[in-house]
Amino acid sequence: MESLGLEEFGGKPDGKFDNTKAFADAFAKIEKSGGGKLTLSKGQWLTGPIEIPGDTTLEISEGAEVFFIADPNLYPPAFTRWEGVECYAMHPLIHASGKKNVTICGKGTVNGNGQPWWNLRKEKANQKEPIEDYEKALAKLNPGYEDQPGGGGGRECQFLRPSFIEFINCENVTLEGITVKDSPFWTIHPLYTKKLTMRNLHVENPYTAPNTDGIDIDSCEDVLVENCFVSVGDDGICIKSGSGPDGIRVNKPTKNVTVKNCTVRDAHGGIVIGSETAAPISGITAEDCDLSGTDRGIRIKSRRGRGGDIFDVTLKNLTMDDTLCPIAINMYYKCGIKDTKSPLFSLEKQPVTAETPKIHEVKISGIKAKGCKASAGFIVGLPESPITGLEISDCEIYTDESSDRSPQESDMFYGLPEVSVKSFRVRNTPDAKFSNVNITGPKETFIYE
């Protein structure tokens, strides 16, 4: 394998020179040669978007930092799935499409320079339509975007921020050792990708950074996430499969995902499934992880209209101190919907359709949770699609009765009646089995509805 340095292509690691063309030239030579390795030496490599060819290794040496220019005009439209819907969005900072045998490794850092992107998103919070030329270009490519679902990231104005690292339709991908920080949007987003390993990564965004999920595994197969540290401003390690009618149309499942020996901090959820659940999600295992300090340790979320079938999920030996709620399985998830009275959140049975999600055969064991501020647990199915085959065993849960956080903060939902105690809440889950689950703190340990 030929090994190259970016200096050979005119690159400069001085934090001032724009290395976009140098990256493009280096990868063009590697592609023409049938594969190779690009090694970045110590220093700051300023650049725009990077496109990686197949049979390529990008090694980021210790002391090297790839630093991305925060100018939306530099990131042209690229086909992707954005908050669960296929569309065009801004080109990811680091991207590979339809490639095999891609590795990004080393002890260096990639820095997404996220603050300007987060500031723009805040400024556009009330923008109802595309204004900037780059937004209008995306709107033209995305007919009907006004009616597409989202989680609140900016679809209505087509300010579709770029993911940081995205692999789409790839195979045999490895991410190992690097630090990934300050992402504009979702941080690591493998999509329609098979045989993926993520090991010894350090992923970090501020907790206040909007929509900056850590690792979003989206309609992928045969995935290992191991020994990673994730601290971000949205969900930590998340498993998805598309949203609503578009995700049902695409119908690409996520299956055979293993997460082990990972640490998640500060995120809205530690180990998460959803809320984009349109295609089947199965064969999911998470074990031996520390999820302390997250809002919710285990989080499975969907709602009417999202569709999908979630099953064969095993979550075991997880520590989650100082959460709002250690275990949240929520089929009344509210984000992206402003109408609190929508039938999506009705307590009455609704017709079962292809857009009705299902959750079943979930096994949770060996949970150790202390200082749970909102509640001991929250499991709510739909009246027309109850959660079945749920088994929870060998868990120790302690609530923080001195906390002023409400049980209503256990997860994000509309439509459910209020409760006033920090109990383990169970609704529309008729055959749940609890074995050796010890809850200390609330006056009532369980509330069954």
PDB file of all heavy atoms in Angstrom, residues 432-445:
ATOM      1  N   ALA A 432     -45.266  -7.726  30.819  1.00  0.00           N
ATOM      2  CA  ALA A 432     -43.907  -7.437  31.294  1.00  0.00           C
ATOM      3  C   ALA A 432     -43.569  -8.313  32.496  1.00  0.00           C
ATOM      4  O   ALA A 432     -44.387  -8.518  33.394  1.00  0.00           O
ATOM      5  CB  ALA A 432     -43.792  -5.968  31.662  1.00  0.00           C
ATOM      6  N   LYS A 433     -42.340  -8.822  32.502  1.00  0.00           N
ATOM      7  CA  LYS A 433     -41.856  -9.654  33.593  1.00  0.00           C
ATOM      8  C   LYS A 433     -40.722  -8.948  34.314  1.00  0.00           C
ATOM      9  O   LYS A 433     -39.697  -8.624  33.706  1.00  0.00           O
ATOM     10  CB  LYS A 433     -41.386 -11.006  33.054  1.00  0.00           C
ATOM     11  CG  LYS A 433     -42.486 -11.848  32.426  1.00  0.00           C
ATOM     12  CD  LYS A 433     -41.941 -13.167  31.897  1.00  0.00           C
ATOM     13  CE  LYS A 433     -43.034 -14.008  31.254  1.00  0.00           C
ATOM     14  NZ  LYS A 433     -42.488 -15.278  30.701  1.00  0.00           N
ATOM     15  N   PHE A 434     -40.906  -8.700  35.594  1.00  0.00           N
ATOM     16  CA  PHE A 434     -39.875  -8.093  36.425  1.00  0.00           C
ATOM     17  C   PHE A 434     -39.402  -9.134  37.429  1.00  0.00           C
ATOM     18  O   PHE A 434     -40.205  -9.682  38.182  1.00  0.00           O
ATOM     19  CB  PHE A 434     -40.423  -6.871  37.154  1.00  0.00           C
ATOM     20  CG  PHE A 434     -40.788  -5.726  36.244  1.00  0.00           C
ATOM     21  CD1 PHE A 434     -42.057  -5.649  35.677  1.00  0.00           C
ATOM     22  CD2 PHE A 434     -39.867  -4.738  35.946  1.00  0.00           C
ATOM     23  CE1 PHE A 434     -42.396  -4.592  34.839  1.00  0.00           C
ATOM     24  CE2 PHE A 434     -40.201  -3.686  35.105  1.00  0.00           C
ATOM     25  CZ  PHE A 434     -41.463  -3.616  34.549  1.00  0.00           C
ATOM     26  N   SER A 435     -38.104  -9.394  37.430  1.00  0.00           N
ATOM     27  CA  SER A 435     -37.543 -10.410  38.312  1.00  0.00           C
ATOM     28  C   SER A 435     -36.338  -9.838  39.042  1.00  0.00           C
ATOM     29  O   SER A 435     -35.371  -9.407  38.403  1.00  0.00           O
ATOM     30  CB  SER A 435     -37.135 -11.645  37.496  1.00  0.00           C
ATOM     31  OG  SER A 435     -36.451 -12.581  38.297  1.00  0.00           O
ATOM     32  N   ASN A 436     -36.414  -9.819  40.369  1.00  0.00           N
ATOM     33  CA  ASN A 436     -35.317  -9.299  41.187  1.00  0.00           C
ATOM     34  C   ASN A 436     -34.959  -7.874  40.789  1.00  0.00           C
ATOM     35  O   ASN A 436     -33.783  -7.520  40.627  1.00  0.00           O
ATOM     36  CB  ASN A 436     -34.080 -10.210  41.081  1.00  0.00           C
ATOM     37  CG  ASN A 436     -33.036  -9.898  42.146  1.00  0.00           C
ATOM     38  OD1 ASN A 436     -33.373  -9.437  43.240  1.00  0.00           O
ATOM     39  ND2 ASN A 436     -31.776 -10.122  41.830  1.00  0.00           N
ATOM     40  N   VAL A 437     -35.994  -7.051  40.625  1.00  0.00           N
ATOM     41  CA  VAL A 437     -35.809  -5.624  40.353  1.00  0.00           C
ATOM     42  C   VAL A 437     -36.093  -4.872  41.644  1.00  0.00           C
ATOM     43  O   VAL A 437     -37.238  -4.812  42.096  1.00  0.00           O
ATOM     44  CB  VAL A 437     -36.730  -5.142  39.216  1.00  0.00           C
ATOM     45  CG1 VAL A 437     -36.581  -3.635  39.009  1.00  0.00           C
ATOM     46  CG2 VAL A 437     -36.421  -5.888  37.925  1.00  0.00           C
ATOM     47  N   ASN A 438     -35.063  -4.321  42.242  1.00  0.00           N
ATOM     48  CA  ASN A 438     -35.179  -3.652  43.533  1.00  0.00           C
ATOM     49  C   ASN A 438     -35.107  -2.145  43.340  1.00  0.00           C
ATOM     50  O   ASN A 438     -34.131  -1.623  42.788  1.00  0.00           O
ATOM     51  CB  ASN A 438     -34.057  -4.111  44.464  1.00  0.00           C
ATOM     52  CG  ASN A 438     -34.116  -5.600  44.737  1.00  0.00           C
ATOM     53  OD1 ASN A 438     -35.175  -6.128  45.056  1.00  0.00           O
ATOM     54  ND2 ASN A 438     -32.984  -6.284  44.600  1.00  0.00           N
ATOM     55  N   ILE A 439     -36.165  -1.466  43.784  1.00  0.00           N
ATOM     56  CA  ILE A 439     -36.264  -0.012  43.639  1.00  0.00           C
ATOM     57  C   ILE A 439     -36.318   0.606  45.033  1.00  0.00           C
ATOM     58  O   ILE A 439     -37.169   0.239  45.850  1.00  0.00           O
ATOM     59  CB  ILE A 439     -37.508   0.372  42.831  1.00  0.00           C
ATOM     60  CG1 ILE A 439     -37.415  -0.215  41.411  1.00  0.00           C
ATOM     61  CG2 ILE A 439     -37.669   1.890  42.770  1.00  0.00           C
ATOM     62  CD1 ILE A 439     -38.666  -0.033  40.591  1.00  0.00           C
ATOM     63  N   THR A 440     -35.413   1.537  45.282  1.00  0.00           N
ATOM     64  CA  THR A 440     -35.333   2.187  46.585  1.00  0.00           C
ATOM     65  C   THR A 440     -35.546   3.679  46.411  1.00  0.00           C
ATOM     66  O   THR A 440     -34.904   4.307  45.567  1.00  0.00           O
ATOM     67  CB  THR A 440     -33.953   1.939  47.228  1.00  0.00           C
ATOM     68  OG1 THR A 440     -33.729   0.535  47.352  1.00  0.00           O
ATOM     69  CG2 THR A 440     -33.867   2.582  48.604  1.00  0.00           C
ATOM     70  N   GLY A 441     -36.471   4.237  47.200  1.00  0.00           N
ATOM     71  CA  GLY A 441     -36.694   5.678  47.158  1.00  0.00           C
ATOM     72  C   GLY A 441     -38.151   6.077  47.146  1.00  0.00           C
ATOM     73  O   GLY A 441     -38.646   6.650  48.109  1.00  0.00           O
ATOM     74  N   PRO A 442     -38.890   5.789  46.071  1.00  0.00           N
ATOM     75  CA  PRO A 442     -40.270   6.283  45.993  1.00  0.00           C
ATOM     76  C   PRO A 442     -41.210   5.515  46.913  1.00  0.00           C
ATOM     77  O   PRO A 442     -40.970   4.339  47.240  1.00  0.00           O
ATOM     78  CB  PRO A 442     -40.621   6.046  44.514  1.00  0.00           C
ATOM     79  CG  PRO A 442     -39.739   4.938  44.088  1.00  0.00           C
ATOM     80  CD  PRO A 442     -38.458   5.091  44.861  1.00  0.00           C
ATOM     81  N   LYS A 443     -42.305   6.164  47.302  1.00  0.00           N
ATOM     82  CA  LYS A 443     -43.292   5.515  48.159  1.00  0.00           C
ATOM     83  C   LYS A 443     -43.956   4.339  47.439  1.00  0.00           C
ATOM     84  O   LYS A 443     -44.258   3.316  48.037  1.00  0.00           O
ATOM     85  CB  LYS A 443     -44.352   6.533  48.592  1.00  0.00           C
ATOM     86  CG  LYS A 443     -43.807   7.620  49.503  1.00  0.00           C
ATOM     87  CD  LYS A 443     -44.884   8.630  49.889  1.00  0.00           C
ATOM     88  CE  LYS A 443     -44.301   9.725  50.775  1.00  0.00           C
ATOM     89  NZ  LYS A 443     -45.323  10.748  51.140  1.00  0.00           N
ATOM     90  N   GLU A 444     -44.203   4.524  46.156  1.00  0.00           N
ATOM     91  CA  GLU A 444     -44.686   3.426  45.316  1.00  0.00           C
ATOM     92  C   GLU A 444     -43.536   3.017  44.387  1.00  0.00           C
ATOM     93  O   GLU A 444     -42.962   3.863  43.719  1.00  0.00           O
ATOM     94  CB  GLU A 444     -45.862   3.866  44.447  1.00  0.00           C
ATOM     95  CG  GLU A 444     -47.163   4.087  45.158  1.00  0.00           C
ATOM     96  CD  GLU A 444     -48.246   4.481  44.162  1.00  0.00           C
ATOM     97  OE1 GLU A 444     -48.824   3.577  43.513  1.00  0.00           O
ATOM     98  OE2 GLU A 444     -48.490   5.682  44.026  1.00  0.00           O
ATOM     99  N   THR A 445     -43.231   1.717  44.372  1.00  0.00           N
ATOM    100  CA  THR A 445     -42.124   1.314  43.497  1.00  0.00           C
ATOM    101  C   THR A 445     -42.551   1.227  42.032  1.00  0.00           C
ATOM    102  O   THR A 445     -41.797   1.624  41.139  1.00  0.00           O
ATOM    103  CB  THR A 445     -41.558  -0.043  43.951  1.00  0.00           C
ATOM    104  OG1 THR A 445     -42.630  -0.987  44.057  1.00  0.00           O
ATOM    105  CG2 THR A 445     -40.851   0.099  45.291  1.00  0.00           C
TER     106      THR A 445
END
